[in-house]
Amino acid sequence: MNRPLTAEPVRKTRLGIAEGNRTELVALLNARLADLTDHALALKQAHWNVKGPQFVQLHEMFDEMVAEAQAYADLVAERAVMLGGQAVGTVQAAASATQLPAYPTGITSAPQHLEATAERLGLLANSIRTAIDTATGTGDADTADLFTEVSRGLDKQLWYVEAHLER
Ligand SMILES: [Fe+2]
């Protein structure tokens, strides 16, 4: 875990962002792609294994979140390629680069899954928020905007999950 992805050389493109900045942005996008891939699979784990009185509702909520996380991963990966880089989206790459703690595979109850998901969502949403600032500082308002869209979606996921944990 936490092994940084190597910055691949970027291809020539007519896109008007300096090569050095694009290299940095591609590394940033791949780092957050790893987190999003991890998050999507963790949500699927919750979708499959959650049990309790709210089963149907949570089973469906987690699966909707999987679809959203996969859509965000798609946006992030394709931006890396637009910038002249290589998207690194295999499960092996995600496993070695993710910044999220491993999702517990032995839990079953709804509160356990909601807590585990909320913890990871908080970390992910905040690291995407940092990526907005990094992209802005690298002169790429479009990547910042893309991360802003992802950030807004993850904040919404966190709201949904945390609302279930309130008494
Ligand atoms: Fe399913």
Side-chain angles (χ1 to χ4, degrees):
M1 179 175 140
N2 298 350
R3 198 169 77 211
L5 295 163
T6 51
E8 300 290 331
V10 288
R11 292 184 302 277
K12 282 195 189 312
T13 165
R14 291 165 184 81
L15 193 147
I17 296 172
E19 185 177 324
N21 289 3
R22 288 190 288 115
T23 300
E24 195 179 324
L25 287 158
V26 168
L28 173 68
L29 287 156
N30 275 321
R32 297 294 74 80
L33 173 61
D35 295 348
L36 284 162
T37 302
D38 184 4
H39 177 52
L41 289 170
L43 287 166
K44 204 69 171 174
Q45 176 76 15
H47 163 74
W48 286 324
N49 290 292
V50 71
K51 291 178 177 60
Q54 298 168 294
F55 167 74
V56 171
Q57 191 245 318
L58 289 175
H59 179 70
E60 288 174 0
M61 181 187 78
F62 284 129
D63 216 25
E64 283 163 21
M65 289 181 173
V66 172
E68 289 169 0
Q70 287 172 334
Y72 301 147
D74 198 51
L75 289 173
V76 168
E78 289 178 357
R79 185 69 189 162
V81 179
M82 279 174 222
L83 290 169
Q86 184 87 352
V88 183
T90 62
V91 72
Q92 290 81 6
S96 60
T98 181
Q99 298 290 307
L100 301 177
Y103 194 87
T105 51
I107 58 174
T108 54
S109 78
Q112 286 173 315
H113 279 293
L114 289 164
E115 281 289 352
T117 302
E119 181 201 347
R120 298 161 55 91
L121 256 175
L123 293 169
L124 177 56
N126 290 329
S127 114
I128 295 282
R129 219 179 314 284
T130 301
I132 298 169
D133 295 338
T134 306
T136 301
T138 314
D140 185 357
D142 297 294
T143 296
D145 178 65
L146 187 153
F147 277 130
T148 303
E149 179 182 343
V150 175
S151 174
R152 200 164 47 237
L154 292 173
D155 284 354
K156 187 179 170 195
Q157 289 193 353
L158 184 59
W159 169 42
Y160 272 49
V161 173
E162 284 184 335
H164 283 87
L165 289 166
E166 283 189 29
R167 301 274 167 240

